[in-house]
Amino acid sequence: MSQLQPYVDCKVSVVMNDGRLVVGILRGLDQTTNIIMQSCQERIFSEDEGVEVVDLGLYMIRGDNIAIIGLIDEDADAALDLDSLRGEPLQPHQHILSQAAAAAESYGFEPIHTPILEYSSVYERSLGSDSDVVGKELYRFLDSSQQWMTMRPEGTAGVARAVITNKLEAAMPQKLYYSGPMFRHERPQKGRLRQFEQFGVEVFGASHPAVDVECIELAWAFLHRLSLNGSLALRLNTLGDAESRVEYRAALQQYFTESRNRLSEDSLRRLDTNPMRILDSKEEADIEVAKGAPAYSDYLNHSSRQRFAFIKHGLDELQIPYTLDHRLVRGLDYYQHTVWEVSCASDLLGRSQATVLAGGRYDGLTAALGGSRSLPGIGWAAGIERLSLLLSDGHTPAPQPAIPVIIVPDRSLEAGAGVRSVDDGLYRYALSVASMVRKQRSAYVVHAPAQSDDQRSASHPPLGRQLASALSKSPIPPYVLIVGSNERSQRNVIVRDTASQKQTAVGLDQIISRLGN
């Protein structure tokens, strides 16, 4: 029953022992581990169907074999805070991803695609069972084979799992980059939706601190490619090796124990299991207590100090500015040595959401995921939505607009006045014109909207309406091609300059030169 905890206060569907479904808000468990739900409807089942009315629309579902089979929401787009992007609003995303891929490839990285769905154990091992992500934010469900599946909340664990299962451990190092949607059931924030896009890089099998410097340099170079609206700041810290971590964790536990009466409930729970996570708390009381916490740098052994000195000197030589932040940590044991974050000071995001990129070294991750050996690893990830909000005006290159080919229909005497039809020969001619133009640049035929279930029935709007529709797109195409029965018979087209509104009849053999490049 503890597996149901992530679904508390969520609207869910539950399969009953008799195969029926009940839909409602999961409120928790009673003392005898029965599921308590609040109905989304007045009544769903009668008492003899296994659901007992408690009061105020609350239902108690009995049985040990009941399973949560899915999250439900009446307004999926609003619940997930998804933006269905198309056309011009999508251009910043595409620009950022293309710049990210170009930057990564210039450093010798190769692309990798991983599944959106993974076994839940991948993230429970990599993120930690006591983390907020695993405890509250995962989108999990049981599949038909009764396996717990999770929609990926981040990219690193999936790439590490792919390295293991595809036996890439034998060919080290691996330098990989990825992009794609991630999913977290958390409170939507500015530039961070429940479905969000990330770009990230990972290096496996290389442990020298020069790799850390190179990863940070790549992140810095990528962000400066984008001409963001705001000043960038790099915060840097080291977690040292495993020996240093043990020493620091003990000191931190002792410090927070002395102030436990001032800690939040979540931090009290973490005090014994993972006190370093208290430093990540967003609760005001925890932040205040953490201000006096011991500095990690005071507990680093000699080899960890030497390694960090190499990284700082490397960044100095590359003229990459940074600020040391001893409170910048990672709570999971496999994180070691270098951690960093890049923030952007801009009113477009606000201070609390200023982080646009974060990275770190995780030398024990592959072993935690069941790999044959513990591979050194390091990487970073950046949120595309936040970066798109920060793009300066005019720094997103507009794609070359496609040239529309408009068909001027003949009035059909058979179909009655006002109905404009296009014969098959004219349609084929328009398609051939668009195909010819596409050898040099983008082009498309403007199709008429369907008017009935007849797949061949379409009433073409007048030329003026088709022109208005074509010119309403952004960016406006520089030319419009117009074809009708006369143009077909004479094997030419009318080229309309959208700026001057002048029209010229041009032969098929001259279209490409007339349109230019």
Side-chain angles (χ1 to χ4, degrees), residues 1 4 28-36 61-64:
M1 288 298 185
L4 301 180
L29 308 175
D30 70 355
Q31 294 181 348
T32 58
T33 69
N34 286 319
I35 303 173
I36 300 176
I61 304 175
R62 301 167 179 166
D64 295 332

Side-chain angles (χ1 to χ4, degrees), residues 252-264 267-268 271 278 285-286 288-294:
L252 204 60
Q253 193 167 40
Q254 180 179 347
Y255 170 78
F256 283 126
T257 299
E258 294 171 355
S259 303
R260 62 182 305 140
N261 60 328
R262 298 164 56 195
L263 296 175
S264 68
S267 291
L268 285 173
L271 183 56
I278 301 176
D286 297 337
E288 192 63 31
V289 174
K291 288 180 180 179

Side-chain angles (χ1 to χ4, degrees), residues 475-511:
I476 297 174
Y479 302 100
V480 173
L481 305 185
I482 302 171
V483 297
S485 297
N486 290 338
E487 287 70 38
R488 177 194 172 201
S489 62
Q490 296 173 21
R491 307 298 292 172
N492 64 17
V493 299
I494 294 174
V495 178
R496 181 184 177 94
D497 187 310
T498 57
S500 66
Q501 299 185 17
K502 292 182 179 179
Q503 298 184 170
T504 308
V506 177
L508 290 181
D509 57 345
Q510 298 176 340
I511 294 179

Side-chain angles (χ1 to χ4, degrees), residues 168-485:
L168 300 181
E169 298 163 291
M172 292 288 118
Q174 291 286 333
K175 301 175 71 175
L176 306 167
Y177 74 85
Y178 64 88
S179 64
M182 312 292 165
F183 305 84
R184 291 191 185 183
H185 192 276
E186 59 183 345
R187 182 175 60 84
Q189 306 162 359
K190 192 171 186 179
R192 181 64 172 268
L193 308 178
R194 289 178 176 176
Q195 175 178 325
F196 56 97
E197 189 99 0
Q198 274 191 349
F199 178 92
V201 304
E202 315 291 350
V203 181
F204 291 95
S207 60
H208 195 279
V211 180
D212 303 38
V213 176
E214 185 182 62
C215 276
I216 297 173
E217 182 191 15
L218 167 57
W220 196 248
F222 155 58
L223 293 175
H224 278 82
R225 279 174 170 250
L226 301 179
S227 299
L228 299 177
N229 192 344
S231 58
L232 295 172
L234 169 64
R235 294 185 296 131
L236 182 70
N237 195 23
T238 179
L239 305 181
D241 56 15
E243 176 185 313
S244 302
R245 188 184 187 91
V246 170
E247 293 289 329
Y248 180 63
R249 179 170 174 160
L252 204 60
Q253 193 167 40
Q254 180 179 347
Y255 170 78
F256 283 126
T257 299
E258 294 171 355
S259 303
R260 62 182 305 140
N261 60 328
R262 298 164 56 195
L263 296 175
S264 68
E265 185 177 341
D266 277 347
S267 291
L268 285 173
R269 177 174 53 83
R270 292 168 176 162
L271 183 56
D272 294 324
T273 60
N274 201 336
M276 290 180 65
R277 285 191 176 274
I278 301 176
L279 298 176
D280 286 332
S281 174
K282 302 301 186 290
E283 296 289 338
E284 289 295 333
D286 297 337
I287 294 173
E288 192 63 31
V289 174
K291 288 180 180 179
Y296 213 135
S297 56
D298 294 338
Y299 296 86
L300 297 175
N301 56 26
H302 179 68
S303 62
S304 296
R305 292 178 188 275
Q306 281 190 316
R307 181 186 181 90
F308 196 42
F310 180 98
I311 292 168
K312 290 186 291 183
H313 291 157
L315 295 177
D316 291 339
E317 291 188 6
L318 293 171
Q319 297 184 351
I320 297 176
Y322 59 88
T323 301
L324 297 179
D325 183 356
H326 72 269
R327 292 189 180 87
L328 181 60
V329 298
R330 300 287 186 265
L332 299 173
D333 287 341
Y334 55 75
Y335 273 100
Q336 295 182 8
H337 297 298
T338 319
V339 291
W340 72 94
E341 290 185 358
V342 181
S343 58
C344 185
S346 172
D347 293 337
L348 297 173
L349 284 182
R351 190 172 70 176
S352 63
Q353 307 304 325
T355 301
V356 294
L357 183 149
R361 175 165 284 281
Y362 42 82
D363 288 349
L365 177 57
T366 54
L369 292 176
S372 60
R373 57 195 178 106
S374 181
L375 296 174
I378 188 171
W380 55 259
I384 305 303
E385 284 81 6
R386 288 187 185 178
L387 291 175
S388 67
L389 291 174
L390 294 168
L391 282 181
S392 301
D393 293 339
H395 283 85
T396 303
Q400 186 183 61
I403 304 297
V405 179
I406 292 178
I407 303 173
V408 179
D410 295 324
R411 287 187 178 274
S412 173
L413 297 178
E414 298 178 2
V419 178
R420 301 166 178 84
S421 61
V422 175
D423 66 48
D424 291 348
L426 181 54
Y427 231 127
R428 286 194 293 269
Y429 182 68
L431 291 170
S432 66
V433 169
S435 179
M436 183 180 301
V437 174
R438 277 194 292 270
K439 295 176 181 178
Q440 193 71 28
R441 62 188 302 164
S442 302
Y444 66 97
V445 173
V446 178
H447 298 289
Q451 299 297 311
S452 69
D453 292 337
D454 183 354
Q455 295 181 3
R456 292 172 59 89
S457 173
S459 177
H460 283 254
L463 175 60
R465 194 184 305 169
Q466 293 191 67
L467 280 171
S469 176
L471 298 181
S472 67
K473 298 184 180 299
S474 179
I476 297 174
Y479 302 100
V480 173
L481 305 185
I482 302 171
V483 297
S485 297

